[in-house]
Amino acid sequence: MIRLLARWLGTSALLLFVVSALTFVLTALAPGDAARVILGKNGTEEQYQALRLQLGLDEPLPVRYWNWLSGALHGDLGVSIYSQQSVTDIIGGRLAPTLALVVGGLIFSAVLGIALGIASARGRGRLSKVTDVISLLGVSIPPFWLGFILVTAFAVALPLFPATGYVDFASSPSEWARSLVLPVITLGVGGVALIAKQTRDAMSKQLSLDYVDAMRAQGLSERSIVFRHVLKNAAIPITTVLGILFTGLFSGTVLVENVFALPGLGGLIVQATASHDIPIVEGVALVFALVVVLTNLVVDIINGLLNPKARLA
Amino acid sequence: MSKLLEVTDLTVSYRRGFRHPPLLANDGVSISISRGKTLGIVGESGSGKSTLGDAILGFAPVSSGSIRFDGEELVGASAARRRELTKNIQVIFQNPYGSLNPAKPVGATLLEPLVAHRIASGAAATARVEEWLEVVGLPADAAKRYPRDFSGGQRQRIAIARALLVEPELVVCDEAVSALDLSIQAQILNLLLDLQHRLGVSYLFITHDMAVVEHMADRVAVMHRGVVVEEGSARDVVHAPTAEYTQALLAAAPSPDPRIQQARRRERTAP
Amino acid sequence: MNSVRAFLRKPLAVAALVFLVVVVLACLFADVLAPYDPIAQDLAAANSLPTPAHLLGADTLGRDILSRLLFGGQVTLSGSLVAVLVFLVFGLTLGMLAGYVRGVLDVVLTKIVEVLYAVPVIIILLVVLSVFSQNLVVAMVTLGVLGFGGLFRVVRATTLAASGELYVKAARASGLSHGKVLWRHILPNVWGPVIVQVSLFAASAVLVESGLAFLGFSVKAPDPSWGSMISDASQALTRYPWLLVPPGATIALVVLCLGLVGDGVRDSMSRDGRAPARNTGARAALPDRDVPETNDSALLSVRDLSVGFGRGSDTTIVVRNVNFDVMRGEALGIVGESGSGKTVTARALIGLLGSGGRVLGGSITFDGVSLGTLGRSALARLRGSGIGLIPQEPMNTLDPVFTIGSQLREVIRRHDRSSRRASEERAVELLELVGIHDPAAVLRKYPHELSGGMAQRIGIALALAGRPKLLIADEPTTALDVTVQQQILDLLVELRHRFGMALVLVTHDWGVLADVCDRAAVMYAGEVVEEAAVVELYERPLHPYTRALIAANPHGAVPGEPLPSIPGQVPPPTAWPKGCHFASRCALATDACREAPIPFVLPEPDRGSRCIRIDALVGEA
Ligand SMILES: Nc1ncnc2c1ncn2[C@@H]1O[C@H](COP(=O)(O)OP(=O)(O)O)[C@@H](O)[C@H]1O
Ligand SMILES: Nc1ncnc2c1ncn2[C@@H]1O[C@H](COP(=O)(O)OP(=O)(O)O)[C@@H](O)[C@H]1O
Ligand code: SF4
Ligand SMILES: [Mg+2]
Ligand SMILES: [Mg+2]
C-alpha cells in the first residue's frame, strides 16, 4: 500500500506539473506574442502593454510560472482577462452543474453498465451479442449529436424535459432533476457501453478460470460463486475502468454542457478558449487535473482493498 | 584428451530489485564434458540447472568463474564471437510448443541457422533441411507446414533438427523430453542417442527425472540450490549416491513397479 | 496470412472496411464528385429535404449537404490522419524499443506514458487551442502525442512477451543478430495489435476532431467540416431536424466501422483461423456386450460412459464407452498419455465438463444412486459432500482475493450448516489433518503467499471439508517436485486409510500409480483399454498398448541402449479409426482389428481388456 501511494504521489506531482506548466510553455512557443494573439487586430498599444503586464509577459518564463504556482497554492488563480473577476470565484460558481452532471452520468453508466455486463456474462450467447452491439453503438455515436437527437425527441416532439438550461437545486429540486435528465443520458451513454463491455469481459474471464470449477466441485452454490467470488475478482478491472470513465465524463462535459447550455466548467473552458482568456483556461485545466489525480487515488485505494497482491506491493 | 567443455567455479546471480540481495542461481559450479559424451544435470526446479545451460549459451549474467569451450574462454567473449560460437554450441528446449515460431513454416525456421552461419544457401540449404527432416523421422513436405500441424513429439524432432543441422559439438538439452508422453519420450531419447553415435556430439542433458538421466548420461552432476552437490558416473550416482540430497531425491522418485514401490512405502512409513 | 484469410471470412468487418475505403476515396475526390460548390448558396433550395437535385437535401442557406459532407470530410479525415500518424510513429517505435531493450529506458518511457495516460485529453486540446488559435493541426498532433500511450503499452507488452518466447531464445541460439530477431520474429507479432489499436484510435480521433469542430475550433465558416455542420444544424433544430442526420450519421458510421474493423482484426488474430475438423469416428456410443450391468456392491460404477464436445453434428466424441468400478475404500488409478481422456472422464463423474461438453451416453452410479437421474441441484449437493475433487494446479484453483480461512470456512458452512465458531474450529482441524503446522497463521494468508506444496495441502483440505466418500484427484502432484510429491502422496494414502475413503487418481506417471493405487484403468485415445489390479497390470499386461508403454519406460532399461518405443503417435479424437484405436501402432494388429470397434472383454476374473488378440499377446510373452 505504501509503495502504491508513493507511486501515486509521483505520478500525480508529474501530472499536475505538466498540465499547469503547459500553458506557460505554449505561450512561449506560440508564434508572435500571446498578448497580440489575444487582442487580435483591434487592440490599441495601451491595451497591449497593459495585457502584457497582466500576463506577466515581461518576465522570464520560470518566474512567471513560479508566481502563478505560488498563487495557485494559496487558491489564487489570477483574474479573468475580460471580466477581471477572480478565476477561483468564477470556477467556484460553475462547479455545481458540472458535478451534478458528472456524478449523475457516473451513476447512470455504472448501474446500467454493470447490470448489463453481469447479465450478459451469465446468460449464454444472445445477451452477450446485444451487449456487443450496444457497446459498439454507444461509443460510436458522437455525444453532442446524441444530445440534439434526444432534444428533438424528448423536448421538442414530446416535450417531457426542457431542451436547454439549468435550474438551481435550491430553487426547485424537481426542475433541477428534470433539467439534468437529458444531459446525464447524453453524457452517460458512452459510459454504459464501456462499463457493460468491461464488466462482461472481466466476468467471463473470471468465470473461465480454474477456481470457479474448483468451487463448484467443493459444492458452493452458483450464487455465491458468481456474486461473491467472481464479482469481487472482476471488480478490480471494473474499478479501474470506472476511474477512467469518471475522468472521461468530466472531459465530456465540455461538449455536453455546450449542447444543453449548462452553466458549468465545460462551457466555461470552451468560452475562455474561444476568447483566449488564458487564466481561466489554465484554472479549469488545473481543476480537471486535480480531479484525475484524486480519482486515481480513490481507484488505487479501492483496488488495494480488493486485491491482496496490490496491498503487499 | 582435453575436455570439450570445462566450467570452473561459475557464479551467476540475478538481481531482484533493491530490497532483496541478488539471487545466486549458480554458486561456484564446476563441471566438465568430454567429446562425444553426455553429462546429465539433475535437480529439482529452481536448483539452477537451466541457469547453467543459459550461461554456457551466453544468456545468463555470469558474475565470476570460467567457461572454457575447446580451450577458448567464453566468459567475457564479444557478442560477435558468441554469435559465431552458436555454430558449435546448440540448444533444445523443454517446451516443444514454445520453441518454434508459430507464424513461420518449419522450413523457414530450419533455414535460419544455415543462413546465419553462411553454411549453405539456396537449393543446397533447402536440400540440407529436407535431409535433416528425414534424419529426425519427418516427411520432407514438413518444411512447408506450420508448427501447429505437428504434435509435441514431432515438434521436438524439428527442434532437434534445428539444433543439429549446423553440426555443433555440444548441445544443451534443457528438459528436452520432460513435456513428452512416455511413448514419445522413448522415441526422442532413442533419436538423441542415435545422433550421438553417428555424429559424436556431446550433450549437456538437463532433466529432473532420475530414470531418464541414468539412461542417457555417462556422468551426472546433481544440483541443489545453485550448487553441485555430487558428481560421478551415472551408475554410481544413481545406484550408490553419496550426497544426502541425492539419496533423498532417489528415494522420493517412485518406481513404476508396484511390488518394489509398495515395499518401499511400507519400509518408509513403518514406525 | 492466415489471419488475413480469417478476417476476410468476417462479412461485417469486411463491409466496414469497404465502407471506410469508399468514404475516404469519396472525400479525397470531392472536387470531382461533389455536385455543388460546398459554400454556394441557393436560397430557393433552402431547407430542402433529399431530392434528386440535392441527394441529401440542402441547409438553411440552400447549400448542398452532400457536397458539404464530402468537402467537410477532407477536414475531419486529414485532421484525424495527422493524429494517427503521430500516434503510430511514437507508439510503435518507442513501444518496441522499451519492450526489447528494457532496463532504464523502459522504466522512463513507461512512466511518461503513465502520466500522459492520466491527462484529460480534451482539456489539454482546449489549452492548446487557447494559445494557438484555430490551429487544428497543432491540436491533432497534440492528440497523437497524448494518445500514443495506448499503442505504446500494447506494442511494449507484445514485444516483451515475444522476446520472452522460447523461439526467440532459440533464434538467438541459432546465431541471429538482434536486428534480425526483431525484424523476423518480433515485428510479425506486433503488427496485428497495432492495426487494432490504430483503428480504435482513429475512431476516437474522428470523434475528437468533430467535437472540436462542433465547438467552433476547426475551419472558419462558411467552410464545412462534419462537426461544424452539426453545430449549424443545431441552430435550426426545431424547424428543420433533418439537417442533423447526414453529418451525425456519417460520423457515427465512420467511427462504428473503424471499431468493427478493429474488432475483426482482433478476432481473426486470436483464433487460429482453421475450420474445425469433423469427427470421422463420431457414431452412436455402443454398449459393450461382455460387461455386466451396474455393480451394486461398488461405491462408484461407470458403464459405457461417452463424452463429447460441441453441438449437434459438430460433436466430437472424446471419451468412449468407459467402464470401471471403484469399491468402497479402494484406490483406482486412471493412467494414460495426455489427451487420452483422463481429465474429461474424471470431470464427467462430478458433472463439471464445462461449456460445450456433455455426456452422450452411459451411466454413472454413485452409492446406489444413478447420477443421471439426479437434478442439477442434487448433483451440486453431492459435490464436495459425496465426491471431493483435488485439483491439478492447486494455486490456480484458489480464489486469489479471499484468505484461505475465508474460503475454507465458506465451504465448511455450506456442508455443515454450522456456526461461525464451529466452522472456525473445523477449519483449524482440517488444516492440522493435512499436515499444516501453524493453522491459525495459514488461515489468514492469501493464496499467493503459499508455496506449491502448501497450496496443494489446502486443496486437499477443501476437498475433505464435506467428508466425501470418494476423492477424485486429477494429477495432484504433476506440478510439484518429487520430494514434495512424496509428501503429498503420503498424505493422501494416510487420509484414505484413516477415513476409509475411496480414491480415483488420474495420473500419467506409472510411479505414482504404483505408489498409491490398488487397481488401474489404462486409457488410450478416449477408451479404457485395460483394467486390472496394479501388480497384475505391471507384471502381466493383457493389452499390447499397456505392455509397450511399460517397456518404453527408461526405468530399469539398459542405459544407452535404444528403448523399445511405440512407433507413430496417438490419433486425435477427430481422426479415430473405425476399429481399434491402437491399431496403427500395434505390433499385433491384423485386418480384423481395423474392421469394427473392439469390445471390452473380461479375459480373467477382475480383469478387462479391449483387444481381440489377447491370446497372441500372452503366447508371445
Ligand atoms: N532470468 C531470470 N531472472 C531472475 N531470476 C531467475 C532468472 N532465471 C532463473 N532465475 C532464478 O534462478 C533460480 C534457478 O532457476 P533455474 O536455473 O531456471 O532452475 P531449474 O532450471 O533448475 O529449474 C530460480 O530461483 C529462478 O527463479
Ligand atoms: N473443453 C474442451 N473442448 C473440446 N475438447 C476438449 C475439451 N477438453 C478436452 N478436450 C479434448 O478431449 C480429449 C481428452 O482430453 P483430457 O481428458 O484433458 O485428456 P488427459 O486428461 O488424458 O490429458 C483431448 O483430445 C482434448 O483435446
Ligand atoms: S485389437 Fe488388434 S490392434 Fe488393437 S490392441 Fe489388440 S491386437 Fe492390437
Ligand atoms: Mg529449468
Ligand atoms: Mg488431464
Side-chain angles (χ1 to χ4, degrees):
Chain A
M1 208 69 180
I2 306 276
R3 281 256 298 267
L4 252 163
L5 287 183
R7 198 185 144 94
W8 168 82
L9 211 64
T11 310
S12 303
L14 216 56
L15 177 69
L16 290 174
F17 171 73
V18 168
V19 170
S20 61
L22 190 66
T23 36
F24 291 89
V25 175
L26 286 177
T27 33
L29 283 177
D33 181 314
R36 283 253 186 269
V37 173
I38 292 170
L39 286 172
K41 296 196 182 79
N42 324 326
T44 65
E45 186 60 26
E46 289 90 83
Q47 282 173 318
Y48 169 68
Q49 289 303 341
L51 190 55
R52 270 187 69 87
L53 213 62
Q54 188 190 336
L55 291 175
L57 291 185
D58 46 347
E59 304 205 63
L61 185 66
V63 177
R64 239 187 302 152
Y65 179 64
W66 175 249
N67 289 340
W68 177 85
L69 190 64
S70 49
L73 288 176
H74 294 97
D76 172 16
L77 295 170
V79 296
S80 157
I81 292 177
Y82 294 99
S83 67
Q84 304 295 333
Q85 260 183 298
S86 139
V87 172
T88 316
D89 289 349
I90 298 179
I91 289 178
R94 295 275 199 142
L95 217 48
T98 300
L99 275 180
L101 186 57
V102 168
V103 170
L106 184 71
I107 294 172
F108 175 70
S109 18
V111 170
L112 228 61
I114 292 179
L116 194 60
I118 293 179
S120 70
R122 294 194 65 200
R124 312 252 140 83
R126 212 167 298 143
L127 202 53
S128 186
K129 288 247 162 58
V130 173
T131 307
D132 274 338
V133 173
I134 290 180
S135 63
L136 211 52
L137 286 180
V139 295
S140 302
I141 297 174
F144 46 100
W145 185 59
L146 178 67
F148 289 125
I149 301 282
L150 290 177
V151 167
T152 316
F154 299 107
V156 179
L158 201 73
L160 293 175
F161 303 102
T164 55
Y166 175 76
V167 179
D168 264 337
F169 181 81
S171 57
S172 162
S174 67
E175 283 305 306
W176 170 80
R178 258 164 48 92
S179 72
L180 280 173
V181 171
L182 295 184
V184 162
I185 295 177
T186 306
L187 185 65
V189 163
V192 174
L194 181 72
I195 299 299
K197 193 168 161 58
Q198 292 292 332
T199 305
R200 196 265 317 268
D201 292 354
M203 294 277 292
S204 314
K205 179 171 169 239
Q206 291 294 329
L207 279 169
S208 73
L209 294 183
D210 286 347
Y211 76 87
V212 172
D213 261 358
M215 287 179 170
R216 292 197 178 114
Q218 286 152 18
L220 294 190
S221 70
E222 204 61 22
R223 184 164 6 123
S224 162
I225 293 174
V226 172
F227 289 101
R228 191 172 136 91
H229 295 278
V230 168
L231 199 57
K232 188 168 174 190
N233 277 283
I236 296 167
I238 295 174
T239 313
T240 307
V241 177
L242 279 175
I244 294 174
L245 175 70
F246 187 69
T247 57
L249 290 176
F250 260 92
S251 298
T253 60
V254 168
L255 293 162
V256 174
E257 286 179 8
N258 262 279
V259 170
F260 292 95
L262 300 182
L265 289 179
L268 177 66
I269 189 174
V270 171
Q271 289 160 16
T273 302
S275 59
H276 305 290
D277 199 338
I278 291 176
I280 293 188
V281 174
E282 217 163 58
V284 179
L286 190 69
V287 171
F288 276 87
L290 275 174
V291 166
V292 172
V293 162
L294 291 178
T295 310
N296 286 349
L297 178 64
V298 173
V299 168
D300 277 357
I301 290 176
I302 294 180
N303 274 351
L305 293 178
L306 288 172
N307 185 356
K309 276 188 219 168
R311 214 175 306 156
L312 287 179
Chain B
M1 192 178 77
S2 75
K3 301 278 186 182
L4 177 65
L5 181 83
E6 275 197 281
V7 174
T8 326
D9 241 344
L10 181 74
T11 302
V12 177
S13 61
Y14 288 111
R15 270 175 293 162
R16 292 188 293 182
F18 4 54
R19 302 239 222 128
H20 305 277
L23 178 93
L24 277 181
N26 272 3
D27 187 1
V29 170
S30 300
I31 52 143
S32 64
I33 303 177
S34 308
R35 278 172 209 282
K37 298 288 182 188
T38 299
L39 173 70
I41 306 283
V42 285
E44 293 185 295
S45 63
S47 58
K49 307 183 297 293
S50 295
T51 301
L52 174 58
D54 280 358
I56 293 166
L57 291 162
F59 292 150
V62 173
S63 27
S64 68
S66 121
I67 303 173
R68 286 187 165 274
F69 178 78
D70 219 356
E72 178 182 354
E73 179 59 55
L74 299 191
V75 174
S78 73
R81 179 68 193 134
R82 266 290 183 191
R83 217 157 54 230
E84 273 169 38
L85 277 168
T86 59
K87 195 192 159 312
N88 302 329
I89 308 177
Q90 273 294 323
V91 59
I92 302 165
F93 293 111
Q94 165 174 10
N95 178 351
Y97 292 90
S99 62
L100 300 173
N101 189 338
K104 298 232 176 300
V106 165
T109 297
L110 292 181
L111 280 174
E112 252 170 20
L114 289 178
V115 174
H117 293 292
R118 301 202 173 80
I119 291 172
S121 62
T126 316
R128 178 120 172 206
V129 164
E130 277 171 10
E131 178 193 327
W132 268 95
L133 283 171
E134 199 190 317
V135 170
V136 299
L138 289 170
D141 75 334
K144 289 187 208 69
R145 291 191 270 151
Y146 287 84
R148 62 163 177 274
D149 300 327
F150 296 94
S151 67
Q154 289 172 318
R155 289 180 204 216
Q156 209 58 319
R157 289 174 190 272
I158 297 167
I160 291 173
R162 170 175 55 194
L164 285 160
L165 88 155
V166 295
E167 294 179 359
E169 292 168 271
L170 173 67
V171 177
V172 175
C173 306
D174 191 350
E175 307 268 11
V177 296
S178 304
L180 304 177
D181 280 313
L182 214 46
S183 71
I184 307 298
Q185 170 178 301
Q187 294 174 4
I188 299 297
L189 292 180
N190 289 347
L191 176 62
L192 287 172
L193 284 173
D194 178 47
L195 289 169
Q196 184 167 48
H197 289 149
R198 279 161 53 178
L199 306 171
V201 59
S202 306
Y203 293 136
L204 180 78
F205 198 90
I206 297 173
T207 178
H208 63 269
D209 187 327
M210 280 294 186
V212 170
V213 86
E214 183 191 359
H215 189 73
M216 293 298 289
D218 302 291
R219 297 189 70 80
V220 173
V222 182
M223 288 190 70
H224 181 49
R225 297 193 181 158
V227 176
V228 173
V229 294
E230 176 162 7
E231 204 266 353
S233 76
R235 164 177 280 278
D236 288 350
V237 170
V238 174
H239 295 284
T242 51
E244 213 171 296
Y245 178 72
T246 317
Q247 290 162 358
L249 216 52
L250 282 161
S255 157
D257 184 334
R259 278 191 209 278
I260 296 177
Q261 181 55 28
Q262 279 166 16
R264 276 166 62 177
R265 168 169 289 285
R266 275 193 299 276
E267 200 178 302
R268 195 158 51 79
T269 50
Chain C
M1 288 310 100
N2 268 289
S3 33
V4 173
R5 235 172 288 142
F7 180 84
L8 291 179
R9 267 202 293 275
K10 294 178 189 306
L12 203 59
V14 173
L17 187 61
V18 171
F19 175 81
L20 288 175
V21 171
V22 168
V23 169
V24 169
L25 289 178
C27 293
L28 205 60
F29 295 105
D31 286 331
V32 192
L33 293 175
Y36 297 91
D37 181 339
I39 56 173
Q41 303 181 1
D42 172 10
L43 290 178
N47 296 353
S48 150
L49 286 175
T51 61
H54 296 279
L55 286 176
L56 291 176
D59 68 8
T60 45
L61 296 173
R63 296 175 297 199
D64 180 58
I65 293 186
L66 178 60
S67 307
R68 288 180 69 74
L69 267 186
L70 291 176
F71 281 98
Q74 292 185 342
V75 177
T76 305
L77 295 179
S78 63
S80 307
L81 184 66
V82 168
V84 168
L85 285 180
V86 173
F87 170 83
L88 188 62
V89 169
F90 275 73
L92 190 60
T93 48
L94 295 182
M96 279 189 76
L97 219 57
Y100 195 69
V101 177
R102 289 178 243 181
V104 184
L105 182 73
D106 182 27
V107 174
V108 171
L109 286 173
T110 304
K111 190 76 199 173
I112 290 176
V113 163
E114 194 182 321
V115 173
L116 284 182
Y117 224 65
V119 163
V121 175
I122 298 208
I123 305 303
I124 298 301
L125 295 184
L126 289 177
V127 169
V128 169
L129 285 166
S130 74
V131 179
F132 294 82
S133 72
Q134 305 284 320
N135 194 334
L136 211 62
V137 175
V138 178
M140 294 319 273
V141 169
T142 311
L143 178 62
V145 172
L146 292 181
F148 88 88
L151 183 62
F152 172 89
R153 285 186 177 186
V154 172
V155 171
R156 172 183 173 274
T158 314
T159 309
L160 206 60
S163 43
E165 289 283 352
L166 272 182
Y167 63 77
V168 169
K169 208 170 171 186
R172 286 234 280 130
S174 288
L176 263 64
S177 63
H178 283 296
K180 280 238 172 60
V181 169
L182 262 172
W183 181 253
R184 290 178 53 95
H185 291 284
I186 294 185
L187 196 62
N189 286 295
V190 170
W191 67 258
V194 166
I195 295 178
V196 175
Q197 289 299 315
V198 163
S199 59
L200 296 182
F201 180 76
S204 57
V206 168
L207 278 179
V208 169
E209 199 284 341
S210 45
L212 291 177
F214 164 74
L215 294 174
F217 297 116
S218 180
V219 286
K220 285 218 172 58
D223 287 340
S225 83
W226 291 349
S228 66
M229 287 175 74
I230 292 184
S231 130
D232 291 347
S234 71
Q235 305 298 319
L237 192 63
T238 48
R239 286 166 292 127
Y240 193 40
W242 163 255
L243 281 181
L244 270 179
V245 177
T250 307
I251 297 172
L253 273 175
V254 166
V255 173
L256 181 70
C257 288
L258 283 166
L260 285 173
V261 170
D263 283 357
V265 173
R266 178 172 45 216
D267 290 352
S268 46
M269 283 187 314
S270 62
R271 247 168 268 132
D272 185 73
R274 279 187 308 170
R278 282 295 166 80
N279 184 4
T280 52
R283 59 219 125 133
L286 74 173
D288 285 313
R289 282 156 285 164
D290 215 20
V291 182
E293 296 291 295
T294 309
N295 183 343
D296 290 331
S297 62
L299 176 65
L300 176 75
S301 193
V302 177
R303 286 293 173 275
D304 284 328
L305 177 70
S306 294
V307 181
F309 282 90
R311 309 211 164 277
S313 61
D314 267 344
T315 303
T316 304
I317 300 179
V318 301
V319 163
R320 214 180 65 104
N321 289 21
V322 161
N323 299 291
F324 59 80
D325 294 324
V326 183
M327 298 296 152
R328 282 169 206 282
E330 184 182 53
L332 174 85
I334 299 182
V335 63
E337 298 181 282
S338 60
S340 57
K342 307 182 296 294
T343 296
V344 168
T345 304
R347 299 191 134 238
L349 298 181
I350 44 169
L352 282 181
L353 283 171
S355 65
R358 67 207 149 96
V359 172
L360 299 173
S363 68
I364 302 167
T365 312
F366 177 75
D367 216 2
V369 183
S370 165
L371 299 194
T373 60
L374 286 178
R376 270 170 64 109
S377 62
L379 191 61
R381 229 169 301 130
L382 186 67
R383 289 187 203 131
S385 59
I387 306 179
L389 181 75
I390 298 173
Q392 169 164 7
E393 295 277 344
M395 207 57 101
N396 299 346
T397 47
L398 295 169
D399 183 339
V401 303
F402 284 90
T403 59
I404 302 305
S406 147
Q407 298 183 53
L408 196 51
R409 281 193 304 270
E410 184 180 0
V411 177
I412 291 168
R413 276 210 298 281
R414 173 86 181 161
H415 293 298
D416 290 1
R417 317 219 161 268
S418 55
S419 67
R420 236 198 120 70
R421 244 195 97 92
S423 61
E424 178 77 40
E425 280 164 14
R426 171 93 172 126
V428 171
E429 183 191 316
L430 278 171
L431 289 195
E432 279 167 353
L433 212 53
V434 296
I436 287 175
H437 300 302
D438 189 2
V442 172
L443 284 175
R444 282 193 301 273
K445 288 197 170 162
Y446 286 93
H448 70 272
E449 301 171 82
L450 304 177
S451 68
M454 188 80 109
Q456 191 53 293
R457 287 178 194 269
I458 306 289
I460 295 175
L462 282 163
L464 292 178
R467 301 180 177 83
K469 293 181 187 141
L470 171 68
L471 272 182
I472 297 176
D474 188 354
E475 310 256 12
T477 57
T478 300
L480 306 173
D481 274 322
V482 275
T483 46
V484 184
Q485 160 170 297
Q486 188 180 48
Q487 295 163 11
I488 297 291
L489 293 181
D490 286 355
L491 176 65
L492 271 181
V493 169
E494 184 210 320
L495 289 170
R496 207 165 67 72
H497 287 309
R498 188 145 156 199
F499 297 109
M501 278 181 298
L503 174 70
V504 170
L505 181 94
V506 169
T507 183
H508 67 277
D509 185 331
W510 286 78
V512 171
L513 181 80
D515 194 24
V516 177
C517 297
D518 308 315
R519 297 180 62 77
V522 182
M523 288 193 76
Y524 182 81
E527 295 179 327
V528 170
V529 294
E530 180 165 6
E531 196 205 328
V534 286
V535 176
E536 303 270 305
L537 188 76
Y538 188 79
E539 293 180 349
R540 212 164 48 84
L542 290 186
H543 192 282
Y545 173 66
T546 316
R547 189 178 70 175
L549 201 55
I550 291 170
N553 199 323
H555 202 95
V558 184
E561 291 296 307
L563 291 164
S565 67
I566 309 176
Q569 48 196 325
V570 188
T574 47
W576 286 348
K578 188 165 98 208
C580 177
H581 290 184
F582 188 55
S584 63
R585 307 174 73 187
C586 180
L588 295 175
T590 61
D591 287 346
C593 302
R594 300 190 181 91
E595 253 151 35
I598 310 296
F600 194 67
V601 296
L602 307 181
E604 288 173 21
D606 270 342
R607 295 199 66 161
S609 168
R610 197 182 285 280
C611 176
I612 52 174
R613 304 206 62 209
I614 298 174
D615 296 342
L617 183 76
V618 176
E620 227 182 43

